[in-house]
Amino acid sequence: MDLATLIGLASGTAVVLIAIFIGGDFMAFVDVPSMLLVIGGAMAATILRFTLADVMAALKTGISAALSQSRATPSMLIVEMGELAQKARKEGLIALDGIGISHDFLKKGVQLCVDGMTFEFVKDALSRDRDLYIERHEEGEKIFRAIGDAAPAFGMIGTLVGLVQMLGNMEDPQTIGPAMAIALLTTLYGALISNLVALPIADKLASKAQLEYVLRTLVIEGTLHIQNRTNPDVMIEFLSAYLPESQREAAA
Amino acid sequence: MDLATLIGLASGTAVVLIAIFIGGDFMAFVDVPSMLLVIGGAMAATILRFTLADVMAALKTGISAALSQSRATPSMLIVEMGELAQKARKEGLIALDGIGISHDFLKKGVQLCVDGMTFEFVKDALSRDRDLYIERHEEGEKIFRAIGDAAPAFGMIGTLVGLVQMLGNMEDPQTIGPAMAIALLTTLYGALISNLVALPIADKLASKAQLEYVLRTLVIEGTLHIQNRTNPDVMIEFLSAYLPESQREAAA
Amino acid sequence: MDLATLIGLASGTAVVLIAIFIGGDFMAFVDVPSMLLVIGGAMAATILRFTLADVMAALKTGISAALSQSRATPSMLIVEMGELAQKARKEGLIALDGIGISHDFLKKGVQLCVDGMTFEFVKDALSRDRDLYIERHEEGEKIFRAIGDAAPAFGMIGTLVGLVQMLGNMEDPQTIGPAMAIALLTTLYGALISNLVALPIADKLASKAQLEYVLRTLVIEGTLHIQNRTNPDVMIEFLSAYLPESQREAAA
Amino acid sequence: MDLATLIGLASGTAVVLIAIFIGGDFMAFVDVPSMLLVIGGAMAATILRFTLADVMAALKTGISAALSQSRATPSMLIVEMGELAQKARKEGLIALDGIGISHDFLKKGVQLCVDGMTFEFVKDALSRDRDLYIERHEEGEKIFRAIGDAAPAFGMIGTLVGLVQMLGNMEDPQTIGPAMAIALLTTLYGALISNLVALPIADKLASKAQLEYVLRTLVIEGTLHIQNRTNPDVMIEFLSAYLPESQREAAA
Amino acid sequence: MDLATLIGLASGTAVVLIAIFIGGDFMAFVDVPSMLLVIGGAMAATILRFTLADVMAALKTGISAALSQSRATPSMLIVEMGELAQKARKEGLIALDGIGISHDFLKKGVQLCVDGMTFEFVKDALSRDRDLYIERHEEGEKIFRAIGDAAPAFGMIGTLVGLVQMLGNMEDPQTIGPAMAIALLTTLYGALISNLVALPIADKLASKAQLEYVLRTLVIEGTLHIQNRTNPDVMIEFLSAYLPESQREAAA
């Protein structure tokens, strides 16, 4: 469970609601046609950009990725790969066949070594696997970023529609204020959707993809060391460069 | 038929029309000279940037590409290339001569192998063909993006023209509101053309070019495996890295 | 003659003029001090950024490049290089000495081959020549882009100057409207110069440089094939990848 | 102690406070709910983008990095490495074992040489160490930049909330001015947080990371020269290219 | 003396002053606290981003670089290097020892050749020297660009401060106009500093660094030709690719 996402979303919504309630009338901020225009317009423009299936998939994986937390950490993986290297060095690569491995990508790499693939093949296959994994996950980021771009645009479109309607009917000066208030609501909705939901989730997906990239690069290097039967201590020394300095002792 | 384009365009237009009709007078949003200014100005600036022929070609291919859907999928191509590799391994490359192949680019690659071209030649020729194909299709994206940039600019120009006219004739306060409403219409038109049509189509073209790039890269790798008479199972294993994990069994 | 430039410029100007005349008073849009401020300020800022000589040269070459049209097309060059390759193969490279060649850059490349330069030398000399040619032409693009950035900035500066003057003298409410109309004119001028002239010409120069880059890359590859005495048919097959699919038969 | 940070922050705050006090009422610029909205919203959006731990770590290291000053300078390091090279040349690399070295990264590099690692290993290990060090410090920059993006966005959201509230209650014209003043405060807070604190600190972290990158590249080159037992004078000549011309004599 | 800088600055200032004087009251545009806020705030934010010493150095070298004009031109250097190559070919590299050379960087390169350094060493030393020279001069560009970013931001902050003060004290409608005029002055100052001074100087520094990069690359190639004792005519032919076509005869 990624607490940061929940805390961020909850506290961001809270401060906006507090600002609204302090000013008084909450219902002055609710206008269903304005919501329909901003949310509907932003979704329509996003579906147009991609495909319906991609947008649905991105919303699903995006939300689950934003809320979930990867359990594997670089230092855990370094310790585990150290043990595998130890075993491979003593008993041969074949001893790693069918061994329990916590991380799927490491499992795949070890299996390729056990199957006797060449150094180049293992390197190429794992690197491409990593790159395509990242590419597929960047799709989700792009879709949330598209929503974050489209929502303020449709907010502005809604405000323009409201202003044109208001300016065409100015007989009763009493109605100008409230009409303009409603016209501004779409801009407010657009800004909230973009800045409180869509763009932060896009950035969260990007930073999770970045973390996963570092993790998988670490696993690729470790796997190649295991295949080469590098001395486990040298390997751990080498891989610790991937850790922030404060965590290096933990792995060594 | 790319349903996402139609659904996006239709639902986006619908939410804007609903917002307009709820506010009442639809005709208050129709002003022919304003439309002429925004559409004409945006087209003029776009023609100036490129050439008349390019803009016409881009509009045509852009709209057809935005509406059409490629039938070939990576997993279908992997299966087909697996069969070709099987045949080439058993009966020699020459057996592939004149064989029925669904995808034109794969057909071309196989033909080069059948003609006995070297590994390097096949790789270079196909890679350049792919890169130039993408380049030519990026042209269409650029043109729609130029329209998406120019439309809001001419929307603003129209609003400035309207404001200058209104401010110079403020004797009758009754006309100020409606005059300003009309002045704002060009900004609204510019925002709608840009955010509901031009920029989403530019992004759709970009994402289709991206898909085609991955597909053709997959075909290039597959063709080289076929030429090398790689074991078809190893080849399929290798190429499955191009598939999202959920589709890998389908191809294997 | 590049018709697109003329048509774009003329039709863009026309739609703006129509919008102005429909609203009535054309002279309300002419204010010489405002024009002086926007055009003078934009030119001053651009001269400051570059040098007087560069700006003058860019204006001259920029306008001529924007209006002229290259006569050479990739398919014409491929045909011509095919004939040269044919001749070189039959009669030796020396037979190309002094032969009539339509494109200067190709002429230069052929001359280097005739002079007996090595493959590496020809490749390096032509590639550098191409790159420096493009670099020098990108200068013009940068200068028009700088004008396109500076014009709206000085438009805004002019409007701020006008607003400060207006706000300091509000005794007579009758003058507020016209004063504000004049203040807005500089913003309008800045937007027109930027969006109707400077930025489109910058983009046109960029796309012409891009075309020339492809053309010269094609010539470099063709020249190297000629030097290598490649089979002319193989060479044409190879170079056709530079053509859009619809034109390939024409060259083959 | 990085005086520039303190002087910049203090003088920037001072000029804003002076502008406020000259206009009179300081308390007109203090509105606790507005502060809560902008600061709370910006922090919430930033936590959402990253993780709670990352944001806390970035705030801590960011502030300490912004305030602290690296003691090592390129010229000091060149002098020190010159002495190490001298000693290594005369007495062998082993003589550097346990020697007092001022900079941790240089110490690590020398230790790798003393341990008899190969040229390639030392180069790879130090380069990766440097790159990961920079990567980790770029995280802090990203977080401050995210705050600098989110603060004006929530400033605008606050102003929109205030405007909607004001426009819905315009019975008493007396309250319109003060209500709008309060509505504008959030935009002011957002601009101040972004331009006076968050973005400058992000840039400062970037420029410190850049400095550290040059320093560590210098140390890597020097270490490799020491390992190769280059002539110390030649090495110093070579490394002085890293110094601005005015400081070159000092090191030579 | 770089006339373009002076002419640009003078004419840009002139058109703004003319626009102010035509509207009447010059003193309406002078407000010392507003100037203090914009200039002080922009400087404070810039110092915060970099260091006091860097900002001072950048202002000094930036202004001198913006005003000075390099005397060396590519064609002069090609002629000079042609003579050096002639001499080196006839009398040996040693004949170049102590010879009078106009450009410092060429002098340094020739000295390295005279000292008998290897081809690789000369190439590496000169290339790094060039790259670090450019890097140090890019620092100045960055600082002026930071000022150009900060000035409009503090202009907006000043206008917001002025608006909040004005809106809180609207008892006397007579004062609203002048108060708002003063509030707008900071935005005007920010736009002028940014668009008339800081950003153009940043661009001028960038284009001078670019020129110097080309010049030094030319010198590096020429020096390597001299060391190789290339035929001077071949060398000049080769180096002329660095010249615009119109200047090629001059050097040949």
Side-chain angles (χ1 to χ4, degrees):
Chain A
M1 194 63 178
D2 184 340
L3 275 177
T5 306
L6 281 188
I7 293 173
L9 217 45
S11 59
T13 310
V15 292
V16 175
L17 287 179
I18 289 170
I20 287 174
F21 277 115
I22 283 177
D25 187 6
F26 176 69
M27 289 313 292
F29 288 88
V30 178
D31 185 57
V32 176
S34 298
M35 282 179 187
L36 179 74
L37 176 59
V38 177
I39 298 177
M43 291 313 298
T46 306
I47 289 169
L48 222 168
R49 263 157 223 251
F50 303 94
T51 67
L52 200 57
D54 280 356
V55 174
M56 286 306 142
L59 286 179
K60 208 178 127 200
T61 61
I63 288 163
S64 90
L67 290 173
S68 73
Q69 187 100 44
S70 168
R71 279 149 327 174
T73 64
S75 56
M76 276 166 52
L77 279 169
I78 291 175
V79 170
E80 185 166 7
M81 291 192 294
E83 288 160 9
L84 293 172
Q86 194 77 36
K87 201 172 177 74
R89 230 182 165 212
K90 282 197 195 133
E91 311 169 32
L93 279 168
I94 204 70
L96 302 182
D97 199 6
I99 209 170
I101 291 174
S102 69
H103 195 264
D104 280 351
F105 189 68
L106 176 56
K107 198 170 198 164
K108 179 168 181 180
V110 167
Q111 194 56 43
L112 288 173
C113 298
V114 168
D115 293 351
M117 298 301 174
T118 64
F119 185 87
E120 279 310 311
F121 184 92
V122 173
K123 197 178 170 185
D124 283 5
L126 292 179
S127 300
R128 188 168 18 201
D129 209 350
R130 175 196 63 191
D131 294 347
L132 289 162
Y133 176 89
I134 299 300
E135 251 172 51
R136 282 192 298 269
H137 282 70
E138 277 170 352
E139 190 72 0
E141 186 202 338
K142 269 203 231 159
I143 285 173
F144 276 95
R145 214 167 287 286
I147 296 174
D149 283 350
F154 278 86
M156 193 189 78
I157 286 171
T159 297
L160 285 167
V161 168
L163 284 177
V164 170
Q165 288 170 340
M166 183 199 87
L167 289 164
N169 297 287
M170 296 210 305
E171 290 85 35
D172 181 2
Q174 292 290 31
T175 63
I176 293 177
M180 197 154 164
I182 290 175
L184 284 179
L185 280 181
T186 52
T187 295
L188 176 60
Y189 295 160
L192 283 171
I193 291 171
S194 179
N195 291 293
L196 196 54
V197 183
L199 294 182
I201 288 183
D203 280 353
K204 168 138 287 178
L205 292 179
S207 85
K208 291 214 163 160
Q210 173 63 20
L211 267 179
E212 194 66 23
Y213 183 87
V214 172
L215 215 66
R216 291 191 169 210
T217 305
L218 175 76
V219 168
I220 292 173
E221 275 214 36
T223 305
L224 295 173
H225 278 298
I226 291 172
Q227 196 191 30
N228 268 342
R229 318 244 186 112
T230 316
N231 180 326
D233 295 337
V234 170
M235 178 184 107
I236 286 173
E237 167 74 27
F238 210 85
L239 296 178
S240 322
Y242 284 93
L243 298 178
E245 254 141 77
S246 59
Q247 293 172 27
R248 291 202 186 167
E249 277 101 67
Chain B
M1 194 64 179
D2 185 340
L3 275 177
T5 305
L6 282 188
I7 293 173
L9 216 45
S11 59
T13 310
V15 293
V16 175
L17 287 179
I18 290 170
I20 287 175
F21 277 115
I22 283 177
D25 187 7
F26 176 69
M27 289 313 292
F29 287 88
V30 178
D31 185 58
V32 175
S34 298
M35 280 178 187
L36 180 74
L37 176 60
V38 176
I39 298 176
M43 291 314 296
T46 306
I47 290 170
L48 223 167
R49 265 156 222 249
F50 303 94
T51 67
L52 200 57
D54 280 356
V55 174
M56 286 305 140
L59 287 180
K60 208 178 125 200
T61 61
I63 287 163
S64 90
L67 290 173
S68 73
Q69 187 100 43
S70 169
R71 280 149 327 174
T73 65
S75 56
M76 276 165 51
L77 279 168
I78 291 176
V79 171
E80 185 167 7
M81 291 192 294
E83 287 159 9
L84 294 172
Q86 195 77 35
K87 199 170 178 74
R89 230 182 164 212
K90 282 197 194 131
E91 311 169 32
L93 280 169
I94 204 71
L96 302 181
D97 199 5
I99 208 171
I101 291 174
S102 69
H103 195 265
D104 280 352
F105 189 69
L106 176 56
K107 198 170 197 165
K108 180 169 180 180
V110 167
Q111 194 57 42
L112 288 172
C113 298
V114 169
D115 292 351
M117 298 299 174
T118 64
F119 184 88
E120 278 310 310
F121 184 92
V122 173
K123 196 177 171 186
D124 284 5
L126 292 180
S127 301
R128 189 167 19 199
D129 209 350
R130 175 196 63 192
D131 293 348
L132 289 162
Y133 177 89
I134 300 300
E135 251 173 51
R136 282 193 298 269
H137 283 70
E138 276 169 354
E139 190 71 0
E141 187 202 337
K142 270 203 231 160
I143 285 173
F144 276 94
R145 215 169 286 288
I147 296 174
D149 283 350
F154 278 87
M156 194 190 77
I157 286 171
T159 297
L160 285 168
V161 168
L163 284 177
V164 169
Q165 288 171 339
M166 182 199 87
L167 289 164
N169 297 287
M170 297 210 305
E171 289 85 36
D172 182 2
Q174 291 291 32
T175 64
I176 294 177
M180 196 153 166
I182 290 175
L184 283 179
L185 280 181
T186 53
T187 295
L188 176 60
Y189 294 160
L192 283 171
I193 291 171
S194 178
N195 291 293
L196 195 53
V197 182
L199 294 182
I201 288 183
D203 280 353
K204 168 137 284 177
L205 292 179
S207 85
K208 291 214 163 159
Q210 173 62 21
L211 268 178
E212 195 66 22
Y213 183 88
V214 171
L215 215 66
R216 292 192 168 208
T217 305
L218 175 76
V219 167
I220 293 172
E221 276 214 35
T223 305
L224 296 173
H225 279 298
I226 291 171
Q227 195 191 32
N228 268 341
R229 318 242 186 115
T230 316
N231 179 327
D233 295 338
V234 171
M235 178 184 106
I236 286 173
E237 167 74 28
F238 210 82
L239 296 178
S240 325
Y242 283 93
L243 299 178
E245 254 141 78
S246 59
Q247 293 172 29
R248 291 203 186 167
E249 278 101 64
Chain C
M1 195 65 179
D2 185 340
L3 276 177
T5 305
L6 282 189
I7 292 174
L9 217 45
S11 60
T13 310
V15 293
V16 174
L17 287 179
I18 289 170
I20 287 175
F21 277 114
I22 282 177
D25 187 7
F26 176 69
M27 290 312 293
F29 287 88
V30 178
D31 186 58
V32 176
S34 298
M35 281 179 187
L36 180 75
L37 176 59
V38 176
I39 298 176
M43 291 314 297
T46 306
I47 290 169
L48 223 167
R49 266 157 223 249
F50 302 94
T51 68
L52 200 56
D54 280 356
V55 173
M56 286 306 141
L59 287 180
K60 208 178 125 200
T61 61
I63 288 163
S64 91
L67 289 173
S68 73
Q69 187 102 41
S70 169
R71 280 151 325 175
T73 65
S75 56
M76 276 165 52
L77 280 168
I78 290 176
V79 170
E80 185 167 6
M81 291 193 294
E83 288 159 9
L84 293 171
Q86 194 79 32
K87 201 172 176 72
R89 231 181 163 211
K90 283 195 194 133
E91 311 169 30
L93 280 168
I94 204 70
L96 303 181
D97 199 5
I99 207 169
I101 291 174
S102 68
H103 195 265
D104 280 352
F105 189 68
L106 175 57
K107 199 170 198 166
K108 180 170 181 179
V110 167
Q111 194 56 44
L112 288 172
C113 298
V114 169
D115 292 352
M117 299 299 174
T118 64
F119 185 88
E120 278 311 311
F121 184 91
V122 174
K123 195 177 171 186
D124 284 5
L126 292 180
S127 301
R128 188 166 21 197
D129 210 350
R130 175 197 62 190
D131 294 347
L132 289 161
Y133 177 89
I134 300 300
E135 250 173 50
R136 283 193 299 270
H137 283 71
E138 277 169 352
E139 191 72 359
E141 186 202 338
K142 269 204 232 159
I143 285 173
F144 276 93
R145 214 168 286 289
I147 296 174
D149 283 350
F154 277 86
M156 193 190 78
I157 287 171
T159 297
L160 286 168
V161 167
L163 284 177
V164 169
Q165 288 170 339
M166 183 198 85
L167 290 164
N169 297 287
M170 297 211 305
E171 290 85 36
D172 181 3
Q174 292 291 32
T175 65
I176 294 178
M180 197 153 164
I182 290 175
L184 283 179
L185 279 181
T186 54
T187 295
L188 176 60
Y189 295 162
L192 283 171
I193 291 171
S194 178
N195 290 294
L196 196 53
V197 183
L199 294 182
I201 288 183
D203 280 353
K204 168 137 285 177
L205 293 179
S207 85
K208 291 215 163 160
Q210 173 62 20
L211 269 178
E212 195 66 24
Y213 183 88
V214 172
L215 215 66
R216 294 194 166 207
T217 305
L218 175 76
V219 168
I220 293 174
E221 276 214 35
T223 306
L224 295 172
H225 279 298
I226 291 170
Q227 196 191 33
N228 268 341
R229 318 242 187 116
T230 314
N231 180 327
D233 296 337
V234 171
M235 179 184 105
I236 286 174
E237 167 75 28
F238 210 82
L239 295 178
S240 323
Y242 283 93
L243 298 178
E245 255 141 77
S246 59
Q247 293 172 27
R248 290 200 186 169
E249 278 100 66
Chain D
M1 195 65 178
D2 184 340
L3 275 177
T5 306
L6 281 188
I7 292 174
L9 217 45
S11 59
T13 310
V15 291
V16 174
L17 287 179
I18 289 169
I20 287 174
F21 277 115
I22 282 177
D25 186 7
F26 177 70
M27 289 314 292
F29 288 88
V30 178
D31 185 58
V32 176
S34 298
M35 282 179 186
L36 180 74
L37 176 59
V38 177
I39 298 176
M43 292 313 298
T46 306
I47 290 170
L48 222 167
R49 265 157 222 249
F50 303 94
T51 68
L52 200 56
D54 279 356
V55 174
M56 286 306 141
L59 287 179
K60 208 177 128 201
T61 61
I63 288 163
S64 91
L67 290 173
S68 73
Q69 187 100 43
S70 169
R71 279 149 328 173
T73 64
S75 56
M76 277 166 52
L77 279 168
I78 291 175
V79 171
E80 185 166 8
M81 290 192 294
E83 288 161 8
L84 293 172
Q86 194 78 35
K87 201 174 176 73
R89 232 181 162 212
K90 281 196 195 134
E91 310 170 32
L93 280 168
I94 204 69
L96 303 181
D97 199 7
I99 208 170
I101 292 174
S102 69
H103 195 266
D104 280 352
F105 189 68
L106 175 56
K107 197 171 199 165
K108 178 166 182 182
V110 168
Q111 196 55 45
L112 288 173
C113 298
V114 168
D115 292 352
M117 298 302 173
T118 64
F119 185 87
E120 279 309 311
F121 184 93
V122 173
K123 195 176 170 187
D124 283 5
L126 291 180
S127 300
R128 187 167 22 200
D129 209 351
R130 176 197 62 192
D131 293 348
L132 289 161
Y133 177 89
I134 299 300
E135 251 172 50
R136 283 192 299 270
H137 282 69
E138 277 170 352
E139 189 72 359
E141 186 202 337
K142 269 203 233 159
I143 285 172
F144 275 94
R145 214 167 287 285
I147 296 174
D149 283 350
F154 278 87
M156 194 188 78
I157 286 170
T159 297
L160 285 167
V161 167
L163 284 177
V164 170
Q165 289 170 341
M166 183 199 86
L167 289 165
N169 298 287
M170 297 210 304
E171 289 85 35
D172 182 3
Q174 292 289 31
T175 64
I176 293 177
M180 196 152 165
I182 291 176
L184 283 179
L185 279 181
T186 52
T187 294
L188 177 60
Y189 294 161
L192 283 171
I193 291 172
S194 179
N195 290 294
L196 196 53
V197 183
L199 293 181
I201 289 184
D203 280 354
K204 169 137 283 178
L205 293 179
S207 85
K208 292 216 162 160
Q210 173 62 19
L211 268 179
E212 195 65 25
Y213 183 88
V214 171
L215 214 67
R216 293 193 168 207
T217 304
L218 176 76
V219 167
I220 292 173
E221 275 213 37
T223 305
L224 295 173
H225 279 297
I226 292 172
Q227 197 192 31
N228 268 342
R229 318 244 187 113
T230 315
N231 181 325
D233 295 337
V234 171
M235 177 183 108
I236 286 173
E237 168 74 27
F238 210 84
L239 296 178
S240 320
Y242 284 94
L243 298 178
E245 255 140 77
S246 60
Q247 292 173 30
R248 290 199 186 169
E249 278 100 66
Chain E
M1 195 66 178
D2 184 341
L3 275 177
T5 305
L6 282 188
I7 292 173
L9 217 44
S11 59
T13 310
V15 291
V16 175
L17 287 179
I18 289 170
I20 287 175
F21 277 114
I22 282 177
D25 186 8
F26 177 70
M27 290 313 294
F29 288 88
V30 179
D31 186 58
V32 176
S34 298
M35 281 179 187
L36 180 74
L37 176 59
V38 176
I39 297 176
M43 292 313 298
T46 306
I47 291 169
L48 223 167
R49 266 157 221 248
F50 302 94
T51 68
L52 200 55
D54 280 356
V55 174
M56 286 305 143
L59 286 179
K60 207 178 127 202
T61 61
I63 287 163
S64 91
L67 290 174
S68 73
Q69 187 101 44
S70 170
R71 279 150 325 174
T73 65
S75 56
M76 278 165 53
L77 279 168
I78 290 176
V79 171
E80 185 166 7
M81 291 192 294
E83 288 160 9
L84 293 171
Q86 194 78 33
K87 202 174 175 70
R89 229 179 165 214
K90 282 197 193 133
E91 311 170 29
L93 280 168
I94 204 70
L96 303 181
D97 199 5
I99 208 170
I101 292 174
S102 69
H103 195 266
D104 280 352
F105 189 69
L106 176 56
K107 199 172 199 165
K108 180 168 181 180
V110 167
Q111 196 55 45
L112 287 173
C113 298
V114 168
D115 292 352
M117 298 300 174
T118 64
F119 186 87
E120 278 310 310
F121 185 92
V122 174
K123 195 178 171 186
D124 284 5
L126 292 180
S127 300
R128 187 165 23 197
D129 210 350
R130 176 197 62 192
D131 293 347
L132 289 161
Y133 177 88
I134 299 300
E135 251 173 49
R136 284 192 299 269
H137 282 69
E138 277 170 352
E139 190 73 359
E141 186 202 337
K142 268 203 233 160
I143 285 173
F144 276 94
R145 214 168 285 289
I147 296 174
D149 283 349
F154 277 87
M156 192 189 79
I157 287 170
T159 296
L160 286 168
V161 168
L163 284 177
V164 169
Q165 288 169 341
M166 183 199 85
L167 290 165
N169 297 287
M170 296 211 304
E171 290 85 36
D172 181 2
Q174 292 290 32
T175 64
I176 293 178
M180 197 154 164
I182 291 175
L184 283 179
L185 279 182
T186 52
T187 295
L188 176 61
Y189 294 161
L192 283 172
I193 292 171
S194 178
N195 291 293
L196 196 53
V197 183
L199 294 182
I201 289 183
D203 280 354
K204 168 137 283 177
L205 294 179
S207 84
K208 292 217 162 159
Q210 173 62 19
L211 268 178
E212 195 65 25
Y213 182 88
V214 171
L215 215 65
R216 294 194 166 207
T217 304
L218 175 76
V219 167
I220 293 174
E221 276 212 36
T223 305
L224 295 173
H225 279 297
I226 292 170
Q227 197 192 31
N228 268 342
R229 318 241 187 116
T230 315
N231 180 326
D233 295 337
V234 171
M235 179 183 107
I236 286 173
E237 168 75 29
F238 210 83
L239 296 177
S240 321
Y242 283 94
L243 298 178
E245 255 140 78
S246 59
Q247 292 172 29
R248 289 199 186 168
E249 278 99 66

